[in-house]
Amino acid sequence: MEFQSTMLVIFLVVFLVSNVEETSALSSQRIETTSTTFSSRLCMQDEKLESDGLSMRPGEATQRLGGNTGPTVWTEFGGLAQKYDPVNLGQGFPDWLPPKFAVDCLVEAVQDSAKSPHQYTRPAGHPNLVQQLARRYSIHMKRDIEPMSEVAVTVGASQALYISLQTLVEPGDEVVLFEPFFDLYVNQVKLAGGTPVFVPLRFVPYDDSDENIITGGEWRLEKEDLVKVVSPRTKAIILNSPHNPTGKIFSKSEMETIAESLELAGPQCVVLSDEVYKYIVHAPPKDSTLDESPLCQGHTHFASLPGMWDRTITISSAGKTFSATGWQVGWCIGPQRLIGPIHTLLPYIQFCASTVIQEALARTLSQADQPYEGHTSYYGYLKSKYTRKRDLLVEALTEVGFAVPDYDKTPGGGFFIFARVSKAIEKVIPSKYMMQKNDAAPGGIARQDWALCQWMAEEIGLLCIPASPFFSLEQVEEGAADRFIRVAFCKNDETIEAAAAALRKIKTLEVNASVVSTPTV
């Protein structure tokens, strides 16, 4: 009977999680699938309608995406993963189970006959969860957060960003994105009727004295790059720290520059602070300040800066923190004047996030502060785990010749390394992959970063993500992304070790190429 009961619980959990209503293609899972392949489907529908003497015009939301409705980097490299079965360091989600206490909380929530969280809950957020979030963010922000009016629960952080933009942006408004950027941002801005405006983060190598030696470096926000684009047309600035794809942690001075720029935009401009990696600061800034969160070493909440609470919607989720991206629970934290409109829209987008998952998360949050696996809390364990995995991947990448950040001098967070391609690696990329027509690549051309990743997936046995989808087309065509690829280390040690073995194939090719190119005496 005990075995049957356990199997029944597992079945119920799987059933409930798999049947959480998806918001729409606009705000689904916050894995790297960020846009849908509409074009081929629309063409087939148009042909059928035309043959029947009918016509079809795409709806306004589809039209707003413009040319961004064809194949994407995610459909392209997802197909390569299925066809060639490489070691996958591309997708940004862990390949291990959530911590046992989180799974236990989920099972307990499913079985709780007294609270029975199997029906609809409050659209703005399950009461138990918003109270837990308000309690935690009151510590984060060093101010009292009102759970019912200053917290909104969403289906993942992607929906939190989507609905925030929908409440803020009108057609013609501009939204500032720092590039490279998480590629979902661009289309979400367009879906809200806004215009993305790009501000480059400048890559500064540690040493550029010798053009033949490629080193790691830092991505920096220059004040003049930001202030020249912010204007009264600017309705929002999206800040992502720790940053995907670079791992950058925005410094206090950079955040202050963003805060100062709001004066150029006017009182209507809001910062959307995407902080899903706040508990994965594996290389904290050396000069930690009083603005640092008491609960997240090395992380500063933008809303905690002087005067910024009233100008900020803080966005986060549970997926990255608890290695449970499929739970799909995110949230917005902010003043009532910004959160109220989100509460208004939520029932019309999705009545509520899964009640049982929200209840499970509320119970999980209350346990995560307890000692765990020899650490003072689960969060300390998480940082230690990712630091070790980062170092494993750094060793594998540098052995082959990729240049990576020096985390003793450069702060870092999240679980991606934006690796820089060396001259030696450039030389072994087969020419058949270079500058080929590819509808999924930005501008329809597979430049060096794309060619390298495609070659590695097909012939080396390792899947990474090219840098170009994280840049504006203008920057891509100028070559800004050519020398970078994104590599994930949110994977089991065995996966990282298998990736290291695949990378050594490139080293062998480099050695052979060097021997061939060495002149004989």
Side-chain angles (χ1 to χ4, degrees):
M1 285 297 293
E2 182 177 347
F3 174 77
Q4 291 176 329
S5 298
T6 301
M7 292 303 295
L8 177 59
V9 169
I10 293 173
F11 171 79
L12 285 170
V13 171
V14 172
F15 176 81
L16 286 164
V17 173
S18 64
N19 282 276
V20 174
E21 292 181 318
E22 291 197 358
T23 305
S24 68
L26 310 181
S27 55
S28 58
Q29 295 181 343
R30 190 186 173 82
I31 61 176
E32 308 308 320
T33 308
T34 58
S35 55
T36 312
T37 310
F38 295 123
S39 294
S40 58
R41 189 183 312 132
L42 289 174
C43 288
M44 293 173 63
Q45 290 174 342
D46 284 345
E47 290 173 1
K48 177 67 167 61
L49 289 167
E50 288 176 9
S51 68
D52 293 340
L54 302 173
S55 62
M56 175 181 176
R57 179 178 175 81
E60 184 175 353
T62 305
Q63 292 181 54
R64 284 177 174 175
L65 294 179
N68 296 333
T69 56
T72 70
V73 63
W74 312 114
T75 57
E76 178 82 358
F77 281 85
L80 293 177
Q82 289 184 339
K83 183 175 181 180
Y84 295 97
D85 194 27
V87 179
N88 194 335
L89 298 187
Q91 290 182 304
F93 59 86
D95 61 356
W96 56 78
L97 288 173
K100 184 177 184 300
F101 68 85
V103 176
D104 289 345
C105 287
L106 177 58
V107 173
E108 290 167 6
V110 168
Q111 293 180 303
D112 192 336
S113 58
K115 294 187 177 179
S116 187
H118 297 284
Q119 311 304 328
Y120 295 131
T121 188
R122 176 173 171 266
H126 189 51
N128 193 9
L129 179 57
V130 296
Q131 288 164 7
Q132 286 289 339
L133 290 171
R135 177 185 65 83
R136 293 196 64 78
Y137 275 88
S138 293
I139 301 172
H140 284 308
M141 303 294 188
K142 304 172 188 175
R143 63 179 298 128
D144 290 335
I145 307 295
E146 208 293 308
M148 297 301 165
S149 62
E150 296 180 330
V151 181
V153 176
T154 59
V155 181
S158 292
Q159 190 191 68
L161 177 67
Y162 170 75
I163 197 170
S164 295
L165 288 166
Q166 292 292 326
T167 62
L168 294 169
V169 176
E170 299 179 68
D173 287 342
E174 295 179 347
V175 177
V176 170
L177 306 179
F178 300 110
E179 67 173 320
F181 45 75
F182 179 42
D183 65 326
L184 173 144
Y185 295 159
V186 174
N187 279 353
Q188 287 214 356
V189 170
K190 291 182 177 179
L191 286 166
T195 301
V197 176
F198 305 104
V199 174
L201 299 175
R202 304 291 182 179
F203 180 76
V204 181
Y206 298 131
D207 184 357
D208 58 359
S209 59
D210 186 342
E211 64 177 14
N212 293 312
I213 298 177
I214 302 298
T215 71
E218 298 181 350
W219 295 87
R220 297 178 184 171
L221 171 62
E222 301 292 346
K223 183 174 182 177
E224 56 268 27
D225 288 329
L226 177 59
V227 299
K228 71 182 181 184
V229 303
V230 175
S231 75
R233 294 187 301 275
T234 307
K235 186 60 71 72
I237 298 174
I238 298 180
L239 171 64
N240 177 211
S241 181
H243 182 256
N244 177 9
T246 68
K248 171 185 173 60
I249 294 175
F250 281 71
S251 68
K252 181 185 177 183
S253 63
E254 289 173 328
M255 288 192 178
E256 288 173 341
T257 293
I258 296 170
E260 291 168 7
S261 74
L262 296 179
E263 297 305 313
L264 300 173
Q268 82 287 348
C269 186
V270 173
V271 172
L272 303 179
S273 187
D274 181 349
E275 303 180 8
V276 297
Y277 299 105
K278 64 183 179 294
Y279 284 112
I280 311 177
V281 177
H282 47 75
K286 297 292 189 291
D287 57 340
S288 59
T289 69
L290 294 176
D291 296 307
E292 181 181 284
S293 168
L295 299 178
C296 308
Q297 183 190 5
H299 178 70
T300 297
H301 295 279
F302 185 83
S304 70
L305 298 181
M308 289 301 104
W309 166 255
D310 289 325
R311 304 291 295 272
T312 307
I313 297 175
T314 299
I315 293 169
S316 194
S317 70
K320 305 298 191 298
T321 303
F322 294 107
S323 304
T325 58
W327 282 24
Q328 283 292 278
V329 175
W331 51 83
C332 303
I333 309 289
Q336 184 174 1
R337 74 177 188 90
L338 297 177
I339 300 301
I342 293 173
H343 286 176
T344 300
L345 284 192
L346 271 170
Y348 305 106
I349 295 177
Q350 175 151 340
F351 187 78
C352 64
S354 166
T355 309
V356 73
I357 298 295
Q358 290 190 69
E359 176 63 26
L361 178 58
R363 300 179 186 207
T364 297
L365 287 172
S366 66
Q367 293 192 28
D369 290 319
Q370 302 302 313
Y372 184 80
E373 297 289 335
H375 297 268
T376 56
S377 71
Y378 168 74
Y379 304 110
Y381 161 83
L382 187 71
K383 174 192 171 184
S384 175
K385 180 175 185 172
Y386 272 116
T387 301
R388 184 178 58 79
K389 290 182 179 295
R390 177 204 71 194
D391 291 344
L392 282 175
L393 184 57
V394 163
E395 181 180 358
L397 290 169
T398 54
E399 180 184 350
V400 179
F402 285 100
V404 301
D406 178 352
Y407 293 108
D408 287 332
K409 64 174 67 171
T410 301
F415 44 54
F416 300 111
I417 294 176
F418 216 43
R420 196 176 181 205
V421 181
S422 68
K423 298 276 189 180
I425 294 173
E426 286 180 355
K427 292 177 181 177
V428 299
I429 303 173
S431 58
K432 67 179 181 179
Y433 291 99
M434 293 290 291
M435 304 304 288
Q436 296 299 305
K437 185 179 184 302
N438 188 315
D439 290 340
I445 298 296
R447 295 179 64 93
Q448 179 176 280
D449 63 307
W450 192 287
L452 171 59
C453 289
Q454 184 177 349
W455 168 58
M456 288 198 301
E458 293 184 8
E459 300 187 31
I460 300 300
L462 175 63
L463 191 144
C464 302
I465 299 298
S468 47
F470 304 108
F471 287 84
S472 63
L473 183 57
E474 179 182 358
Q475 286 286 298
V476 169
E477 292 176 343
E478 291 180 2
D482 286 354
R483 278 220 168 107
F484 293 95
I485 64 172
R486 196 194 74 171
V487 194
F489 55 90
C490 51
K491 306 298 175 184
N492 281 314
D493 290 358
E494 295 77 11
T495 303
I496 297 176
E497 289 164 2
L503 284 167
R504 293 187 191 105
K505 298 177 186 177
I506 298 178
K507 186 67 174 178
T508 301
L509 292 171
E510 290 174 2
V511 171
N512 292 340
S514 176
V515 170
V516 170
S517 62
T518 301
T520 56
V521 179

